[in-house]
Amino acid sequence: MTIFSMQYDLAEAERIGAALGTALIAGDVALLSGDLGAGKTTLARAMLKARGLAGEAPSPTFAIVQPYAPPEVDLPIAHVDLYRIEDEGELIELGLDDYLYDGALLIEWPERLGGEGWPDALLLTITGEGDARVLTASVPPAWEARWPLQ
């Protein structure tokens, strides 16, 4: 596991998300962690836009899982927001693993996964606020050869 960290501002969030979104392949899980308002959804939206989504993706806070499939995007992606999940047992009902057969997962609030998870997931942690954001990535071996940020 390699740790990568960079400071960025909101203007750069789209570029960063686009680079990460372009690197996604089927079977990938990207975990987006950070406080309320940190910029998790902004990054996820930029990742979806990089895969062809026209318009702005709605936040999946209330739907919990917002799936996107071709031709809307070029790779099936489920944008997941676990903020409202209170018990790990609720996760089974979401069937998240099913999305990984031919697509990828973008999961906000991965702390709600509890003991569940994916060992090869990319963990993106956003801290700071305003124009002083810091992105810290725990880059698993599965991502190291295609890591798009320097």
Side-chain angles (χ1 to χ4, degrees):
M1 183 87 53
T2 302
I3 304 298
F4 171 84
S5 187
M6 67 180 287
Q7 189 165 354
Y8 71 101
D9 60 34
L10 290 178
E12 294 176 292
E14 182 135 347
R15 179 189 62 81
I16 293 166
L20 293 168
T22 301
L24 282 175
I25 61 172
D28 278 345
V29 178
L31 306 173
L32 298 117
S33 183
D35 292 335
L36 276 172
K40 299 178 295 296
T41 301
T42 300
L43 211 54
R45 285 176 174 153
M47 293 169 81
L48 288 162
K49 184 177 178 183
R51 299 315 297 232
L53 185 66
E56 188 170 296
S59 172
T61 300
F62 294 103
I64 300 177
V65 178
Q66 180 65 51
Y68 298 93
E72 193 174 28
V73 290
D74 65 357
L75 172 73
I77 298 173
H79 183 191
V80 182
D81 186 327
L82 300 179
Y83 184 74
R84 296 185 323 122
I85 297 294
E86 295 179 7
D87 181 80
E88 289 177 38
E90 296 174 67
L91 296 170
I92 294 169
E93 297 172 25
L94 299 178
L96 297 179
D97 283 329
D98 293 344
Y99 292 100
L100 298 177
Y101 291 114
D102 63 352
L105 289 170
L106 305 179
I107 301 178
E108 297 185 39
W109 298 99
E111 301 80 9
R112 308 289 173 126
L113 289 169
E116 295 297 311
W118 297 270
D120 288 330
L122 173 66
L123 174 59
L124 304 169
T125 304
I126 303 168
T127 56
E129 56 188 40
D131 279 347
R133 309 285 170 114
V134 176
L135 175 69
T136 302
S138 296
V139 183
W143 274 80
E144 286 177 356
R146 58 192 160 99
W147 180 245
L149 303 173
Q150 298 304 325

